[in-house]
């Protein structure tokens, strides 16, 4: 008989050997020691930052507003209570029939995308089936209740829905030892060793966290930067306080005359674009015949506290463009940018236009980039005035925002997949997570300098000033995205929860120059890092740019496979990468810039603990 079909007390009733008793006592003693250490670790972290205080305050206000709205609608309150009672009565009746051996149709089943209840016990064992259905019925009532509340504005309801979802998902029976059949089986099989190891892993993860818990998502030592990830050959040919500029080794005899500069985000590290050789966008672009340069951002600490958005522009893309001219003798580049790197790139191109240097950029590509922040998605819950003020205070004190706090926040946007699944695996089952390069990158975070990040949150997310003519001033120059005449290629992804395409689309309506907009399948990463040989996800294209994203999608054509070849065709057919003006391949170090070190360079290898230890902030 399987473990989940035999309660623990039955096992003891059948007789337990002295050896079993001693083994359990040993495990319980070790677990108690680990638990005591865990409590000491937690007590040392009890004082939250100003930013965390602001989030808790906003959460409390959201629930208070929801409770007031419910009290103002007695009918809805009564209906909700009556429904809960009815659901419980029907579930009790069904459970009694199931316990008697009758085959019954469940009152509710998990959605196909809900991977929490995949174990057979949730459907085959009446006890667990009842627990699951009770939870799902309650979750459904909470979700529908919030949708039915009146007297709350859209932002209040969004925030309440987000916070309620976090609490409801935290209450899932899968998150507790006694109500998770897989964990119960493992606990009986290992005599509790899984829980001992889980407590130890929890303490390790707490030690590597800033606020909240940054759960370990992959085997820590499975990947080495420059060893089995970020291995596309090249060299660092320029560096300053903020960037290292990598020039990649060509793989073709001739390359396009105009070099290509990639501007990745500085939230996390650039090698999302250069993981393995079979999914490396960097390698693919090099193989297409481009002379590829890439910015590797520094992982900043307190000493970089005063670096501004304008500094990121000047020491980032503008310095890189100047260095590329020294390396290749070319006065213009094609720009490819990603996420917040794209937001900076749009600012840079507008700045160059306003300073009559727009010809330095022949074309610009924006991947999953917000320029119009009208709908930031769930991340907007953490970016209201009170929370931003709390973040500003925290960054003012420390000089930076710890990237581990940012990672924890982003993980809560997909809490079941990116937090609770690992919580169960690591801490309840006591298992080591599998080796996965993408999740290694996801946990290899970067800090954010106070002077840049506070400005970015307020000017972009809160006030949406980038879309306003003259709304942003950089180094004394007011910029206007509407003045950009540079040909632009926008690619967004349909399921992106970080840069939602119903916002990114409106950035494509801003430039006065020619614009192509493409919508990829999947999400923020998989939809962008989508190599052609995988033939996955597909993309939508449309030559028209109507006034709304809904209208664009209605008349868009769906295409199989990756959008990468579509982008390459856009580059070559329009002459931004001119097939008629090919030049001999350029090797790093051939021009005026000498090789500093081999790619991937020093900056990308600096972890947050390395940076904070080096600058005395741990």
């Amino acid at each position: 008989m399987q473990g989940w079909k035999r309660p623990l007390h039955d096992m003891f009733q059948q007789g337990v050997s002295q050896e079993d008793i001693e083994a359990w006592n040993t495990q319980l003693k070790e677990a108690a020691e680990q638990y005591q250490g865990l409590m000491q670790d937690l007590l040392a972290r009890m004082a939250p930052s100003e930013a965390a205080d602001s989030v808790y305050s906003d959460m409390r206000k959201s629930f208070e507003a929801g409770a007031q709205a419910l009290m103002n609608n007695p009918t809805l309150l009564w209906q909700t209570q009556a429904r809960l009672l009815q659901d419980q009565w029907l579930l009790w009746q069904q459970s009694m029939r199931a316990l008697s051996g009758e085959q019954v149709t469940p009152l509710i089943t998990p959605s196909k995308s809900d991977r929490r209840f995949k174990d057979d016990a949730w459907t085959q064992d009446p006890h667990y089936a009842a627990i699951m259905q009770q939870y799902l019925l309650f979750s459904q009532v909470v979700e529908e209740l919030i949708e039915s509340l009146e007297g709350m504005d859209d932002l209040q309801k969004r925030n309440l829905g987000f916070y309620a979802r976090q609490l409801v998902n935290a209450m899932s029976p899968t998150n507790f030892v006694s109500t998770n059949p897989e964990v119960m089986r493992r606990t009986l099989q290992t005599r509790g060793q899984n829980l001992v190891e889980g407590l130890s892993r929890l303490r390790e993860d707490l030690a590597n966290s800033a606020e909240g818990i940054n759960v370990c998502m992959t085997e820590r030592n499975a990947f080495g930067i420059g060893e089995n990830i970020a291995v596309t050959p090249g060299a660092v040919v320029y560096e300053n306080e903020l960037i290292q500029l990598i020039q990649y080794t060509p793989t073709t005899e001739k390359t396009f005359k105009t070099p290509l500069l990639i501007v990745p985000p500085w939230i996390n590290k650039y090698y999302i674009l250069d993981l393995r050789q079979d999914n490396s966008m960097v390698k693919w672009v090099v193989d297409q015949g481009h002379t590829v340069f890439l910015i590797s951002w520094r992982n900043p600490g307190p000493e970089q506290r005063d670096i501004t958005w304008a500094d990121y522009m000047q020491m980032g893309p503008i310095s890189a463009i100047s260095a590329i001219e020294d390396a290749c003798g070319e006065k213009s580049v094609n720009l490819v940018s990603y996420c917040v790197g794209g937001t900076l790139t749009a600012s840079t191109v507008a700045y160059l236009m306003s300073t009559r240097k727009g010809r330095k950029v022949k074309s610009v590509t924006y991947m999953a980039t917000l320029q119009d922040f009208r709908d930031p998605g769930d991340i907007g819950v953490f970016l209201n005035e009170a929370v931003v003020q709390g973040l500003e205070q925290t960054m003012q004190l420390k000089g930076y925002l710890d990237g581990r706090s940012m990672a924890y926040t982003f993980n809560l946007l997909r809490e079941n997949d990116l937090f609770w699944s690992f919580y169960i695996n690591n801490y309840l089952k006591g298992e080591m997570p599998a080796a996965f390069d993408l999740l290694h990158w996801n946990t290899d975070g970067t800090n954010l300098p106070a002077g840049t990040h506070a400005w970015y949150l307020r000017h972009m997310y809160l006030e949406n000033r980038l879309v306003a003519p003259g709304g942003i001033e950089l180094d004394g120059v007011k910029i206007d995205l509407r003045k950009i005449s540079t040909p632009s290629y926008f690619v967004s992804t349909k399921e992106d929860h970080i840069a939602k395409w119903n916002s990114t689309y409106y950035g494509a309506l801003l430039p006065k120059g020619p614009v192509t907009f493409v919508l990829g399948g999947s999400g923020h990463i998989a939809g962008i890092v989508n190599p052609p040989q995988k033939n996955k996800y597909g993309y939508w294209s449309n030559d028209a740019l109507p006034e709304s994203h809904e209208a664009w999608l209605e008349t868009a054509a769906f295409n199989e496979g990756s959008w990468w070849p579509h982008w390459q065709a856009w580059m070559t057919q329009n002459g931004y990468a001119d097939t008629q003006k090919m030049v001999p391949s350029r090797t790093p170090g051939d021009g005026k810039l000498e090789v500093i070190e081999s790619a991937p360079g020093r900056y990308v290898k600096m972890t947050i603990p390395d940076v904070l230890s080096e600058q005395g902030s741990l």
Side-chain angles (χ1 to χ4, degrees):
M1 183 178 291
Q2 297 182 56
W4 54 265
K5 291 186 176 180
R6 184 179 63 191
L8 187 60
H9 67 85
D10 286 348
M11 185 184 74
F12 282 99
Q13 285 179 352
Q14 294 176 9
V16 180
S17 68
Q18 184 64 31
E19 181 184 356
D20 286 332
I21 293 174
E22 290 177 358
W24 276 99
N25 284 336
T26 300
Q27 300 289 27
L28 290 172
K29 181 179 179 181
E30 188 174 347
E33 292 174 355
Q34 289 284 0
Y35 182 77
Q36 184 178 8
L38 175 63
M39 289 300 100
Q40 292 173 347
D41 294 341
L42 289 172
L43 286 172
R45 298 161 51 89
M46 287 298 288
S49 68
E50 290 77 3
D53 277 338
S54 300
V55 172
Y56 298 148
S57 176
D58 184 67
M59 184 186 302
R60 183 178 63 253
K61 290 177 181 178
S62 296
F63 281 110
E64 288 174 351
Q68 186 61 51
L70 185 59
M71 295 303 294
N72 291 339
N73 190 343
T75 301
L76 179 60
L77 177 59
W78 178 84
Q79 289 173 341
T80 302
Q81 292 173 331
R83 178 176 171 183
L84 286 169
L85 289 172
Q86 182 184 33
D87 287 344
Q88 291 301 308
W89 171 247
L90 292 174
L91 183 58
W92 180 82
Q93 288 182 313
Q94 184 204 63
S95 299
M96 292 300 100
R97 291 163 55 200
L99 286 170
S100 68
E102 182 180 346
Q103 292 290 329
V104 295
T105 302
L107 299 178
I108 188 171
T109 57
S111 67
K112 291 182 179 180
S113 61
D114 191 342
R115 294 180 287 185
R116 294 174 293 178
F117 302 99
K118 297 298 184 183
D119 191 86
D120 289 342
W122 294 112
T123 54
Q124 296 180 16
D125 185 291
H127 172 69
Y128 286 115
I131 291 174
M132 177 188 71
Q133 290 181 79
Q134 184 178 45
Y135 169 74
L136 292 176
L137 288 167
F138 174 73
S139 302
Q140 185 181 70
V141 167
V142 171
E143 183 178 345
E144 294 177 1
L145 172 64
I146 292 173
E147 283 297 315
S148 301
L149 290 176
E150 298 176 350
M152 302 178 69
D153 62 37
D154 291 341
L155 290 179
Q156 285 180 316
K157 188 173 285 190
R158 179 200 67 185
N159 289 9
L160 176 61
F162 178 84
Y163 291 133
R165 192 187 82 204
Q166 298 298 322
L167 292 178
V168 168
N169 285 333
M171 294 165 56
S172 172
T174 53
N175 299 335
F176 301 92
V177 175
S178 61
T179 53
N180 186 318
E182 291 181 271
V183 175
M184 282 299 294
R185 284 200 300 272
R186 180 61 58 86
T187 303
L188 295 175
Q189 291 166 358
T190 68
R191 298 168 176 168
Q193 180 63 27
N194 57 306
L195 301 180
V196 174
E197 293 178 357
L199 283 169
S200 176
R201 291 204 172 96
L202 175 56
R203 293 183 66 188
E204 288 179 12
D205 288 349
L206 275 173
N208 193 39
S209 302
E211 288 181 326
I213 304 174
N214 292 99
V215 293
C216 179
M217 294 182 172
T218 185
E219 187 178 343
R220 296 186 190 277
N221 300 319
F223 298 100
I225 298 174
E227 298 171 9
N228 54 0
I229 51 177
V231 293
T232 299
V236 175
V237 294
Y238 170 81
E239 68 181 32
N240 58 34
E241 181 187 359
L242 194 57
I243 74 166
Q244 285 192 315
L245 183 66
I246 299 171
Q247 180 181 355
Y248 288 95
T249 303
T251 58
T252 56
E253 290 185 5
K254 292 189 174 183
T255 61
F256 298 111
K257 188 172 185 292
T258 304
L260 185 143
L261 171 62
I262 300 176
V263 185
W266 56 86
I267 299 172
N268 285 101
K269 296 178 179 177
Y270 83 79
Y271 63 86
I272 186 60
L273 301 175
D274 187 30
L275 286 170
R276 304 182 312 273
Q277 290 295 278
D278 65 341
N279 67 355
S280 169
M281 188 174 188
V282 169
K283 181 181 185 303
W284 186 87
V285 174
V286 170
D287 290 345
Q288 304 314 300
H290 295 275
T291 302
V292 179
F293 292 81
L294 179 144
I295 290 175
S296 174
W297 299 101
R298 179 180 189 149
N299 197 343
E303 291 182 3
Q304 287 74 45
R305 66 181 303 140
D306 295 325
I307 290 179
T308 65
W309 187 268
D311 292 330
Y312 264 82
M313 176 183 73
Q314 295 288 359
M315 288 192 283
I318 290 179
S319 290
I321 290 170
S322 178
I324 290 171
E325 183 175 353
D326 289 339
C328 298
E330 295 295 327
K331 296 184 179 298
S332 64
V333 301
N334 291 304
L335 285 177
V336 174
S337 58
Y338 188 16
C339 192
V340 68
T343 309
L344 177 71
T345 296
S347 307
T348 302
V349 176
Y351 174 86
L352 292 173
M353 286 287 174
S354 293
T355 55
R356 299 184 179 181
K357 298 177 183 177
R359 291 185 179 180
K360 287 182 176 290
V361 181
K362 183 171 286 189
S363 74
V364 58
T365 298
Y366 303 106
M367 304 185 296
T369 295
L370 282 169
Q371 297 180 24
D372 189 325
F373 288 74
R374 64 177 65 190
D375 181 7
D378 282 346
I379 192 67
V381 172
F382 299 109
L383 294 173
N384 56 51
E385 179 63 38
V387 174
V388 169
Q389 285 185 11
L391 285 168
E392 289 171 339
Q393 293 175 37
T394 296
M395 287 187 280
Q396 183 63 34
L397 289 171
K398 298 172 68 174
Y400 63 95
L401 177 65
D402 194 306
R404 294 168 295 189
S405 298
M406 175 68 75
Y408 177 66
T409 299
F410 277 117
N411 289 343
L412 290 183
L413 302 182
R414 290 292 184 269
E415 67 280 0
N416 285 331
D417 292 333
L418 295 179
F419 182 80
W420 289 113
S421 64
F422 294 99
Y423 175 94
I424 295 165
N425 185 79
N426 298 5
Y427 310 146
L428 302 187
K429 294 182 183 179
E431 295 179 352
M432 176 68 72
F436 188 15
D437 54 357
L438 177 58
L439 292 179
H440 176 87
W441 167 84
N442 194 51
T443 56
D444 184 18
T446 54
N447 295 323
L448 304 166
T452 302
H453 199 60
W455 183 94
Y456 169 60
L457 295 179
R458 180 163 295 282
H459 286 72
M460 306 296 186
Y461 277 98
L462 275 190
E463 300 173 3
N464 198 16
R465 293 175 62 175
L466 185 58
V467 297
I472 297 293
E473 183 175 312
L474 299 173
D475 284 345
V477 177
K478 291 186 176 181
I479 64 172
D480 185 355
L481 300 185
R482 290 168 176 79
K483 293 181 179 180
I484 294 177
S485 58
T486 307
S488 304
Y489 185 102
F490 286 75
V491 57
S492 298
T493 58
K494 198 172 186 182
E495 299 170 20
D496 197 329
H497 65 289
I498 295 173
K500 294 179 67 174
W501 89 273
N502 61 332
S503 281
T504 60
Y505 176 79
Y506 295 96
L509 301 182
L510 295 171
K512 69 178 184 179
V515 173
T516 295
F517 183 88
V518 168
L519 181 65
S522 195
H524 189 71
I525 294 171
I528 296 298
V529 184
N530 183 22
Q533 67 270 20
K534 302 289 187 181
N535 196 32
K536 295 175 68 175
Y537 307 130
Y539 64 95
W540 289 262
S541 58
N542 190 343
D543 291 336
L545 282 174
E547 290 301 311
S548 73
H549 66 283
E550 297 97 338
W552 183 91
L553 188 58
E554 284 177 5
T555 57
F558 179 76
N559 309 271
E560 297 287 348
S562 171
W563 61 270
W564 293 6
H566 182 274
W567 169 83
Q568 176 68 4
W570 176 81
M571 291 285 288
T572 57
Q573 291 171 8
N574 291 288
Y576 314 134
D578 196 337
T579 57
Q580 303 303 311
K581 295 181 179 179
M582 306 293 284
V583 298
S585 298
R586 302 145 169 151
T587 301
D590 281 353
K592 295 180 181 179
L593 298 181
E594 296 181 358
V595 170
I596 297 173
E597 60 180 320
S598 297
R602 304 185 315 282
Y603 282 11
V604 72
K605 295 181 180 180
M606 291 295 290
T607 67
I608 291 175
D610 290 338
V611 170
L612 300 184
S613 176
E614 183 182 80
Q615 300 192 11
S617 298
L618 279 180

